[in-house]
Every structure is written in structure tokens, then in C-alpha cells.
Amino acid sequence: MPLLSALLIALSSYQSAPGAEFAALAAELQSEARERLVVAQSYPAQLAPAVTADDALYSGLNAFSAQAMRLSLAMERRNGPEDLRCIFRGMAQDALLRQQALNAAEIRADRIQVFTDLEYLLQHAAEIGPIADQEEIDPFTGVDPGCPRGPLR
């Protein structure tokens, strides 16, 4: 059975599209953020555990941000909707900001809002990610919503 499971996982990842992979990562991170939110709410006065680079949520947010930027750039390359390019770029930036907030929190109560914000962001990412995989997507309308281009700050 483990061999069959591994084969199915490999096959599904081979067939996955970037937007679907992004949505799957978002759903996985949302689950992790939700679990941590419950713990933070249960023990708000405790010191927040240190966040290291190998922490699943912390490193997952790096991967999420990178995937969001790739989707933003893909929308730009295919002359997709400018607002979608901006949404993915905004998600990339927001993930990095939440990552910094996790790191800065001193007690668990300080992380409650961060986890809540992450749940919201990741839920929307899971919903919008698959749109990037659609073959037929309306092209850029010529109305630039004004989001920046280039590297994140």
C-alpha cells in the first residue's frame, strides 16, 4: 500500500498545475495556522516559541510567497488580468509581512492576530490559485490598478 500511495502522490504532482499547487500549499499552511491559533488562544500569556527557518509554517510562507510571485509574473507574461497579477503579488508580500510578525511576537497573544490574518490570506489563496491554471482567461483590459512591479520590499 505505501508504494501505491507514493505512486499516486507522484502522479498527481506530475499532473498538477502551478495554480493548483499554490492552492494546495495555501490549504496546508492554513491548517497549520489554524492549529497554532487554537494553541495561542488557549495559552495567550505564555512566551511565544522561537520561530526558526526550519519551522514548517515559517518556511512554508517562504515557499508560498515565491509561488505567489511566480503566478504574478506568469499573469504578466500571458497578458492576463492586471488585477490578478496584483492579487498574487500582494499575497506574496503579505506572506512575508506575516512571517516577520510571527518572528517579532513575544507572547502567544501577540500571534493570535497574525494567525487570524494568515487564515484569511491562505483561504483566499486556496480559492483564487486555480484561476491561474485556466487556459481561457480574460486578457489585460488596459486598466492598471497601480500595483508595483519588480522585487518585493
Side-chain angles (χ1 to χ4, degrees):
M1 193 70 163
L3 179 60
L4 180 59
S5 296
L7 187 59
L8 288 173
I9 290 170
L11 182 59
S12 68
S13 67
Y14 177 75
Q15 294 176 343
S16 291
E21 289 176 9
F22 177 72
L25 176 60
E28 182 181 319
L29 293 173
Q30 182 185 18
S31 177
E32 181 71 25
R34 188 176 300 121
E35 288 174 18
R36 293 185 188 200
L37 174 61
V38 169
V39 172
Q41 289 172 329
S42 298
Y43 307 99
Q46 284 185 350
L47 288 177
V51 180
T52 61
D54 63 337
D55 178 88
L57 185 58
Y58 190 85
S59 62
L61 290 173
N62 274 338
F64 175 87
S65 181
Q67 284 185 9
M69 272 307 284
R70 281 193 291 276
L71 290 173
S72 177
L73 294 171
M75 279 299 114
E76 189 172 343
R77 278 192 306 275
R78 68 189 273 197
N79 199 30
E82 193 72 10
D83 60 339
L84 203 51
R85 178 189 70 81
C86 291
I87 288 168
F88 287 126
R89 180 188 173 80
M91 287 179 172
Q93 183 70 57
D94 197 25
L96 295 178
L97 292 173
R98 300 297 150 240
Q99 189 184 51
Q100 291 171 0
L102 279 176
N103 204 26
E106 294 181 15
I107 60 172
R108 289 182 192 259
D110 297 336
R111 290 193 177 160
I112 290 173
Q113 189 60 49
V114 177
F115 294 136
T116 302
D117 292 345
L118 276 173
E119 272 195 287
Y120 181 81
L121 167 68
L122 297 166
Q123 175 187 342
H124 287 286
E127 293 169 359
I128 202 167
I131 294 172
D133 296 334
Q134 294 176 1
E135 286 187 33
E136 295 294 323
I137 191 165
D138 292 332
F140 175 48
T141 61
V143 178
D144 187 342
C147 71
R149 297 180 188 274
L152 297 175
R153 293 181 231 157

